Amino acid sequence: MSTSLGIDIGGTNIKAAVVHADGRVAAFETSAWSGGAAADAFETIERLAAAVGDASGVPLDTCGCGCAGLVDHETGIVRSSPNLPQWHDVRLAEELARRLRIPVLVENDANAAAYGEYSAGAARGATNAVMVTIGTGIGGGIVLDGSIYRGSHGFAAEIGHSVIDLSGGVRCACGSTGCVEPLVNAASLVVQAKQRMEEGEESVLAERAAPLTARAVGEAAAAGDSLARRVTDDIGRTLGVLLANIVAYLDPDVIVIGGGVAAAGSSLMDAANAEFAERTAKYQGMATRIVMAELGDTAGVVGAALLAGSSRP
Amino acid sequence: MSTSLGIDIGGTNIKAAVVHADGRVAAFETSAWSGGAAADAFETIERLAAAVGDASGVPLDTCGCGCAGLVDHETGIVRSSPNLPQWHDVRLAEELARRLRIPVLVENDANAAAYGEYSAGAARGATNAVMVTIGTGIGGGIVLDGSIYRGSHGFAAEIGHSVIDLSGGVRCACGSTGCVEPLVNAASLVVQAKQRMEEGEESVLAERAAPLTARAVGEAAAAGDSLARRVTDDIGRTLGVLLANIVAYLDPDVIVIGGGVAAAGSSLMDAANAEFAERTAKYQGMATRIVMAELGDTAGVVGAALLAGSSRP
């Protein structure tokens, strides 16, 4: 059974794992890094690869590397990356293959995570799946009939920048207005709760000494705080509309929800599921399931490793 | 070279054509029908098939039939159809094969039209294409790497019922609010123009004796009428947002626009293209083309015939 090295390069962390062909993780390491020059990332990756290789004691046949940003899957080049501002046309696959002395496949990080959940996580057994990762932004990944769908120019699944609020005025970091990303993210829970308190609404959250977090808003909602509940309900309802839109476009078996927004707990997802059920009642017999991600922090490394393993000649 | 019969069953017309493997139409006939019982449709189809068969003088190997509604492609059964209210679980493929004595493949009509434009029309040569047909409603069809993408339950490409105006109040026939379909359709041009005139805005359209049509609004806009221009601009801008959303989800090579809205002329598409360019500027190097459908009335029959031809064992 082949065993692969999985790497996941983000803006603040690099992760590495040794992953068996069935998705089991034999060893896993994370290292903080600056998000600076590519050369620094290469050194961190070499060190992590040696560490997980030693820890697992398994020979590695191939490597898959997920990376934030616009990745050319065919050539293994990272064109650009909002989270890695110094990276332009970095020959990632070539450089890692030279250093690790195994074949390296490069993939966008959201696609790699979606492939991980599809192959060995919450979307196991599905034919078509969409993964929505909600943290500081919204990432998307589409897997259709076993293959990542990347689109014609590598921009598919940019669902955070689909417009759902044409006549609303919220501006997105991308320059457009009405995108779903600024409406549904982990920070928006905190921002909306603070705004309501400044407008004079009462909440148990006002008595907190520590800085407000998405988790705290979620916990207050679960405990029945009405302000926190209105915030999780509002954002959850908007998420439900996004999920219904994903069905309108792609009608998958399953939509997997991952990322920091899960910390907000069940109140937000209850609202999202209620809105989703209302919006999709018209598709009689439609049965897209909404599930929470299972692989957590390791989705990206598992997906990258399994992709590399599956594409071996 | 194989030659196929293409059929297109809509709510008010049935079309038939003899189509060569390269997409050329050897004979084409349309017949009005009641949209009533399936048995009436079968008789009309038999008559049309005989007529186009005789007119072309070519032996027919196979038949593809597009039909409005929820079609089970695998079994050839039409589950239900908003435009054919008497149709429930109609065994369309089986019945037509018995009557026509050739193998019959059944497909949703919007998918068939998209496949026609993909194979022999405006999206020729593309890898991934989306077709948006804007008439009384909005139909969608997705073709990825040569195959129609139907989704896991046959509901993919229901883009008319994607929500783009969460905080707007326009209600859709499907029961939701904020769907794009009631905002962008041929009738909305007329409705918006009338509403503006009732509110006291001046327009050359007020002097028309004949009932107002989408074409008349388009012509007035092209001639510089400011009310007509505001209407085409408004609806065109909303269409541009939909097109940008299609890119955010699917990033195709090309989006094909078909249907009655084309009658509104260039003012509407100019506005749509301008909005689309603004909304997609963030995808540097993205090059999804927006093109008008080329096959017109025959897209459905050509697509159905070519699908049947390509799936022959």
Side-chain angles (χ1 to χ4, degrees):
Chain A
M1 196 167 69
S2 100
T3 304
S4 299
L5 176 66
I7 307 284
D8 187 358
I9 308 174
T12 55
N13 284 288
I14 297 178
K15 297 167 195 153
V18 172
V19 182
H20 293 299
D22 61 1
R24 278 182 305 123
V25 173
F28 178 64
E29 291 263 354
T30 301
S31 176
W33 89 293
S34 63
D40 295 348
F42 297 148
E43 279 175 30
T44 304
I45 290 169
E46 267 192 284
R47 186 168 50 73
L48 287 171
V52 293
D54 287 352
S56 68
V58 180
L60 296 169
D61 304 311
T62 180
C63 169
C65 179
C67 184
L70 180 60
V71 171
D72 187 327
H73 169 75
E74 301 287 325
T75 59
I77 294 173
V78 179
R79 294 290 171 205
S80 63
S81 177
N83 295 312
L84 305 168
Q86 295 181 34
W87 290 41
H88 296 284
D89 294 331
V90 171
R91 305 178 78 82
L92 182 58
E94 190 179 308
E95 185 62 27
L96 288 185
R98 194 177 67 74
R99 288 171 181 252
L100 303 173
R101 288 178 298 277
I102 47 178
V104 176
L105 177 146
V106 169
E107 183 55 77
N108 166 271
D109 61 343
N111 287 346
Y115 192 78
E117 291 287 347
Y118 182 90
S119 305
R124 246 185 344 268
T127 302
N128 305 306
V130 176
M131 182 164 182
V132 183
T133 303
I134 307 169
T136 49
I138 295 184
I142 299 171
V143 186
L144 305 180
D145 204 15
S147 299
I148 292 174
Y149 177 73
R150 301 179 179 91
S152 296
H153 317 92
F155 292 105
E158 278 284 343
I159 53 176
H161 300 294
S162 62
V163 171
I164 66 165
D165 196 23
L166 189 62
S167 54
V170 178
R171 185 162 288 279
C172 182
C174 78
S176 280
T177 51
C179 296
V180 68
E181 181 163 291
L183 302 176
V184 180
N185 60 71
S188 64
L189 284 158
V190 175
V191 169
Q192 283 203 20
K194 282 186 177 166
Q195 196 174 320
R196 284 173 178 271
M197 285 189 279
E198 279 163 18
E199 287 165 3
E201 285 189 47
E202 288 181 12
S203 169
V204 297
L205 295 168
E207 292 148 32
R208 279 174 60 92
L212 202 53
T213 60
R215 181 182 297 274
V217 177
E219 285 170 358
D225 183 71
S226 67
L227 179 148
R229 205 163 257 268
R230 278 194 292 276
V231 169
T232 54
D233 197 66
D234 185 39
I235 295 174
R237 289 266 167 191
T238 306
L239 172 57
V241 173
L242 173 67
L243 301 177
N245 278 0
I246 292 172
V247 169
Y249 277 89
L250 288 163
D251 179 23
D253 304 81
V254 58
I255 302 174
V256 181
I257 313 284
V261 88
S266 61
S267 302
L268 187 139
M269 283 311 302
D270 287 349
N273 283 319
E275 184 74 24
F276 177 75
E278 282 173 31
R279 296 267 179 186
T280 56
K282 60 197 166 209
Y283 308 115
Q284 292 154 27
M286 190 283 301
T288 298
R289 289 179 300 123
I290 310 294
V291 299
M292 302 309 284
E294 287 178 6
L295 301 183
D297 253 12
T298 66
V301 288
V302 168
L306 293 180
L307 259 178
S310 72
S311 72
R312 263 195 337 150
Chain B
M1 199 167 67
S2 100
T3 304
S4 299
L5 176 66
I7 307 285
D8 188 357
I9 308 174
T12 56
N13 283 289
I14 297 178
K15 298 167 194 154
V18 172
V19 182
H20 294 299
D22 61 2
R24 277 181 307 121
V25 173
F28 177 64
E29 292 262 354
T30 301
S31 176
W33 89 293
S34 63
D40 296 347
F42 297 148
E43 278 174 29
T44 304
I45 290 168
E46 268 193 284
R47 187 170 48 76
L48 287 171
V52 293
D54 287 352
S56 68
V58 180
L60 297 169
D61 304 310
T62 181
C63 169
C65 180
C67 185
L70 179 60
V71 170
D72 186 326
H73 169 74
E74 302 286 325
T75 60
I77 294 173
V78 179
R79 294 289 171 205
S80 62
S81 176
N83 295 311
L84 306 168
Q86 295 181 35
W87 290 41
H88 296 284
D89 295 331
V90 171
R91 307 178 76 82
L92 182 57
E94 189 181 308
E95 186 62 26
L96 288 185
R98 193 178 67 76
R99 290 171 180 250
L100 302 172
R101 288 177 300 275
I102 48 177
V104 176
L105 177 147
V106 169
E107 183 56 77
N108 167 270
D109 61 342
N111 286 347
Y115 193 79
E117 293 287 346
Y118 182 90
S119 305
R124 244 186 344 268
T127 302
N128 305 307
V130 176
M131 182 162 181
V132 183
T133 303
I134 308 169
T136 48
I138 295 184
I142 299 171
V143 186
L144 305 179
D145 203 15
S147 298
I148 293 173
Y149 178 71
R150 301 181 180 89
S152 296
H153 318 92
F155 292 104
E158 278 284 344
I159 54 176
H161 300 294
S162 62
V163 171
I164 65 166
D165 195 25
L166 189 61
S167 55
V170 178
R171 185 161 290 278
C172 182
C174 78
S176 280
T177 52
C179 295
V180 67
E181 182 163 291
L183 302 175
V184 180
N185 61 70
S188 64
L189 284 159
V190 174
V191 170
Q192 284 204 19
K194 281 186 177 166
Q195 196 174 323
R196 284 174 179 272
M197 285 190 280
E198 279 163 19
E199 288 165 1
E201 284 189 48
E202 287 182 13
S203 168
V204 297
L205 295 168
E207 292 148 32
R208 279 174 59 92
L212 203 51
T213 60
R215 181 183 297 276
V217 177
E219 285 170 356
D225 182 71
S226 66
L227 179 148
R229 206 164 258 266
R230 278 193 292 275
V231 169
T232 54
D233 197 65
D234 185 39
I235 295 174
R237 289 267 167 191
T238 306
L239 174 57
V241 172
L242 174 67
L243 301 177
N245 277 1
I246 292 171
V247 169
Y249 277 88
L250 288 163
D251 179 24
D253 304 82
V254 58
I255 302 173
V256 181
I257 313 284
V261 88
S266 61
S267 301
L268 187 139
M269 283 311 301
D270 287 350
N273 283 318
E275 184 75 25
F276 177 75
E278 282 172 29
R279 295 268 179 186
T280 56
K282 61 196 167 209
Y283 308 115
Q284 293 154 27
M286 191 283 301
T288 298
R289 290 178 299 121
I290 310 294
V291 299
M292 301 309 284
E294 288 178 5
L295 301 183
D297 253 12
T298 66
V301 288
V302 168
L306 294 180
L307 259 178
S310 72
S311 71
R312 262 197 332 151

